[in-house]
Amino acid sequence: TAESIAGTGTVGITSVLQSAQSPDATLRGQAEQHLQQLRENNHAQFVMSLAEELCEESKPIDTRRLAGLILKNELDARDEARKV
């Protein structure tokens, strides 16, 4: 599930996506770094977690929207190694 992404520990993808939209530059930077690590450590699980976040209507609309944007970018990646 989105909450059990490899490498997130107790921090779920929803929390990371919320932090990635924070006005606090430090918090936002840490979240962006965390997302990058998730992408690099287990790309398939990362993409699946984004899809789950996007589809889960009980999740906050802002995190769902960001998950959808990141997912679109992953699917449309110019880097063949990242393209799903």
Side-chain angles (χ1 to χ4, degrees):
T1 68
E3 298 301 319
S4 63
I5 295 179
T8 61
T10 59
V11 178
I13 191 78
T14 303
S15 297
V16 176
L17 292 169
Q18 286 173 325
S19 296
Q21 299 175 77
S22 172
D24 179 337
T26 301
L27 186 59
R28 190 174 58 247
Q30 290 171 345
E32 290 169 357
Q33 193 171 36
H34 195 106
L35 289 169
Q36 182 63 34
Q37 289 172 345
L38 294 174
R39 177 186 290 116
E40 292 170 1
N41 291 343
N42 190 340
H43 190 256
Q45 183 65 44
F46 176 66
V47 170
M48 190 166 68
S49 297
L50 292 171
E52 289 177 5
E53 182 77 15
L54 176 62
C55 294
E56 183 56 57
E57 292 183 13
S58 66
K59 299 289 184 172
I61 190 68
D62 289 341
T63 61
R64 292 177 64 210
R65 191 176 293 130
L66 182 55
L69 178 63
I70 296 170
L71 183 59
K72 183 224 34 115
N73 289 343
E74 291 299 309
L75 295 174
D76 195 37
R78 294 189 194 279
D79 179 0
E80 287 300 318
R82 274 185 43 208
K83 197 174 239 182
V84 176

